[in-house]
Amino acid sequence: MDKVSRSSKIIFAFGGLGKDAMFAMSTIMFFYFVNLIGISAAFIGIMFMVVRIWDAVNDPVMGGIVSNTHTRMGKFRPWILIGSGLNAIILVFVFLNPNLAPDSIRMLVYVTVFYTLWGMTYTLMDIPFWSMIPALSQSQRERENITVLTRFFTSIGFFIISAAYLDLAKFLGGGETTRHQITGLFWLSLIVSVVFFLSELLLVLKVRERVVPKSQEKITIRKMFSLIRKNDQLSVVMIVVLIANFVLYITSNMAIFFITYDIGNQGLFFIFIGLGGVLQVVGALCFPLIRGFLKRKQIFNASIALQIIGFVLLFTNAFVLDNVVALVFALGALVFFGQGLQMVLQTVLLSDTVEYGEYKLGERTEGLAFAVQTFIVKLAMGLSLGVTGIGLDLFGFVAEVDDMPQPQAQATLYAMRVMMFVLPVIGLLLSLYIFNKKHTLDERRYADIVEILKGRGTYDQEAFEL
């Protein structure tokens, strides 16, 4: 009754591959603007943080728009199509170097405008993309299967770009100089934009919503924020995911600097991030197996514990053993595997808050629930980029000169280690406490809520038919 066809699952998941390849391009923008274009790290860090926070604040508004959308194509697919088309075009302009002086007003305005537009257009498709999962099935297991497959594909898309962008930039640009890498990243942005749009177009044409609530009154902006505030389980998941993503992005932002300047071998970056991508995929794929004998809360606690152990031992390796490379990879594996489990969990936990909110508040708002995910991902990225940019500038980071990495002061290297290993541990301990203290929507309670909603006659009959 609630089973989704295999082809729909695969096509939806493939849309995730293109989507996160696009998102990965945003994670290398800091490196592109600072190391290649030569703009101040402090300016880029602060600008990224402000723009991300501004963009994040707009996400609930977009979620409300999605929840109020009623077309022949459904709620979600029109926005996925529009957003992916616009976002693909904007990405090309982000990496189209206008050849202006790095710290000139015109260059700073250009970078700020197109970075802002990139974030806003990405929102147009990202919120409806994730919001479709609760509309595909009400079965927890089916949602978990869809989420695991989608996270598998998103991890592939993300890590193909984030691990290989340096080598791809040199290959596509025809050389290793800064000028060649700038050219190469422009061509990479063009390729990613095409793959991204085509993957979303296939999703729009082939995947349809199946859980269709009966018509409800339009949700105003004021009511929208009230619904988010009153859905206590959504708020709990929101805080936990914010902290988890802050940890993830601090690690990914600092990895290139840590490996290049502290370990002293930039060539290891591709291997390290590639290993991370593989282990995150393995973690995601192991979720259904682990789910067979552990409850969700137990899996969450295990995923956090693995990351904390990994970060503590990485910190010890850095300060006591002076970065034994083999240990960096082995201990990083613990962190990446835990993150893979956690990424699946955060999506399925958010999916469950849709029915919980409908049960408690009388409104079904998938768009709002997953606007929260996009909001917190962007907020976490903005905060992490701000911390990275300000931290590097504050502790005297010296950017490349004539395509050559420069020696860094010992204090700068120590600061990198603290940002890479200590801040994540603090965040993870906090998320562990909040989740175990406040999250109450377990498997049994969710099943009871779904039965109550079916008894109310909330959905059109075709919502439960293949």
Side-chain angles (χ1 to χ4, degrees):
M1 178 176 280
D2 277 328
K3 191 171 179 62
V4 181
S5 69
R6 180 179 298 178
S7 61
S8 292
K9 290 177 183 177
I10 293 173
I11 292 170
F12 184 85
F14 183 69
L17 184 149
K19 185 187 76 68
D20 268 37
M22 170 62 77
F23 184 71
M25 292 298 293
S26 73
T27 67
I28 68 177
M29 290 177 189
F30 185 91
F31 172 83
Y32 171 74
F33 289 131
V34 174
N35 273 38
L36 300 183
I37 301 299
I39 302 174
S40 160
F43 173 82
I44 292 298
I46 293 171
M47 185 271 286
F48 275 22
M49 180 171 64
V50 171
V51 170
R52 283 294 187 183
I53 292 172
W54 156 253
D55 196 24
V57 168
N58 289 305
D59 287 344
V61 176
M62 184 62 204
I65 293 172
V66 170
S67 293
N68 287 323
T69 298
H70 302 284
T71 71
R72 293 180 63 185
M73 291 176 64
K75 286 184 177 184
F76 310 113
R77 290 183 296 157
W79 295 112
I80 293 174
L81 183 62
I82 294 168
S84 59
L86 292 175
N87 195 237
I89 294 169
I90 295 298
L91 181 72
V92 175
F93 279 96
V94 170
F95 285 93
L96 179 64
N97 181 21
N99 291 313
L100 300 171
D103 288 318
S104 67
I105 297 298
R106 292 172 64 192
M107 173 62 91
L108 300 183
V109 169
Y110 180 92
V111 168
T112 302
V113 167
F114 280 103
Y115 183 74
T116 303
L117 289 175
W118 183 89
M120 295 179 73
T121 53
Y122 186 79
T123 296
L124 285 178
M125 68 75 50
D126 188 56
I127 291 173
F129 177 88
W130 291 113
S131 299
M132 277 192 74
I133 292 178
L136 296 177
S137 176
Q138 280 195 315
S139 164
Q140 272 192 324
R141 286 302 175 98
E142 199 68 1
R143 286 181 181 179
E144 288 174 359
N145 292 337
I146 295 168
T147 301
V148 167
L149 187 61
T150 304
R151 285 297 184 184
F152 171 74
F153 275 87
T154 58
S155 294
I156 291 173
F158 183 86
F159 281 101
I160 284 174
I161 302 303
S162 62
Y165 73 88
L166 288 174
D167 295 293
L168 289 171
K170 293 170 185 176
F171 173 75
L172 294 171
E176 297 191 2
T177 68
T178 297
R179 180 177 60 83
H180 286 114
Q181 290 183 60
I182 290 172
T183 301
L185 286 176
F186 168 76
W187 287 112
L188 181 61
S189 72
L190 193 61
I191 293 168
V192 169
S193 293
V194 172
V195 172
F196 167 62
F197 180 73
L198 291 178
S199 68
E200 304 314 316
L201 180 62
L202 181 64
L203 185 157
V204 167
L205 295 175
K206 296 296 184 180
V207 182
R208 298 178 181 275
E209 303 161 34
R210 299 172 65 251
V211 179
V212 185
K214 294 179 179 178
S215 59
Q216 57 188 35
E217 63 176 298
K218 188 173 182 179
I219 301 172
T220 64
I221 293 178
R222 182 176 180 179
K223 188 174 183 179
M224 172 184 66
F225 284 103
S226 175
L227 289 171
I228 294 175
R229 178 175 54 84
K230 292 177 180 178
N231 189 329
D232 57 291
Q233 293 304 289
L234 177 60
S235 299
V236 171
V237 176
M238 173 181 172
I239 294 169
V240 170
V241 176
L242 171 63
I243 296 170
N245 279 273
F246 176 78
V247 168
L248 175 65
Y249 294 131
I250 277 286
T251 305
S252 60
N253 292 340
M254 288 305 306
I256 182 64
F257 296 99
F258 172 73
I259 291 172
T260 300
Y261 298 101
D262 200 357
I263 293 179
N265 187 350
Q266 191 181 77
L268 293 175
F269 177 73
F270 172 80
I271 302 172
F272 182 75
I273 297 299
L275 173 68
V278 170
L279 286 166
Q280 284 194 357
V281 168
V282 171
L285 291 176
C286 284
F287 180 86
L289 301 176
I290 299 172
R291 181 71 178 82
F293 55 89
L294 289 180
K295 300 290 187 182
R296 285 180 176 179
K297 184 165 286 189
Q298 294 172 315
I299 299 174
F300 177 84
N301 291 339
S303 71
I304 296 295
L306 285 173
Q307 294 177 68
I308 291 174
I309 293 168
F311 279 122
V312 169
L313 293 178
L314 282 166
F315 176 85
T316 304
N317 181 50
F319 279 96
V320 177
L321 303 177
D322 199 26
N323 288 318
V324 176
V325 173
L327 286 177
V328 170
F329 280 81
L331 299 173
L334 289 177
V335 174
F336 289 124
F337 183 82
Q339 288 174 343
L341 284 175
Q342 191 177 0
M343 285 192 298
V344 174
L345 270 170
Q346 73 181 42
T347 303
V348 296
L349 291 172
L350 278 170
S351 295
D352 290 352
T353 66
V354 173
E355 278 76 26
Y356 176 81
E358 185 178 9
Y359 160 74
K360 184 177 180 180
L361 305 172
E363 301 282 357
R364 184 176 178 86
T365 53
E366 302 100 323
L368 289 183
F370 283 90
V372 166
Q373 174 169 275
T374 306
F375 164 79
I376 54 188
V377 166
K378 290 179 179 177
L379 181 59
M381 177 173 279
L383 292 173
S384 67
L385 287 168
V387 169
T388 301
I390 295 171
L392 290 174
D393 206 60
L394 182 65
F395 289 99
F397 170 73
V398 181
E400 289 184 4
V401 176
D402 296 328
D403 304 323
M404 293 297 295
Q406 300 301 299
Q408 306 295 324
Q410 195 63 46
T412 305
L413 297 178
Y414 285 165
M416 288 181 183
R417 294 175 183 180
V418 170
M419 287 190 286
M420 183 95 173
F421 306 132
V422 177
L423 292 181
V425 170
I426 295 171
L428 289 167
L429 287 171
L430 182 59
S431 68
L432 191 66
Y433 172 79
I434 293 171
F435 187 79
N436 283 278
K437 185 78 172 178
K438 298 293 184 180
H439 189 265
T440 61
L441 189 57
D442 59 16
E443 290 87 339
R444 177 173 293 182
R445 191 179 184 197
Y446 175 83
D448 291 342
I449 287 172
V450 169
E451 289 305 313
I452 291 171
L453 292 176
K454 288 182 178 180
R456 288 178 182 175
T458 307
Y459 303 98
D460 293 329
Q461 183 61 35
E462 61 264 28
F464 302 105
E465 297 176 354
L466 288 176

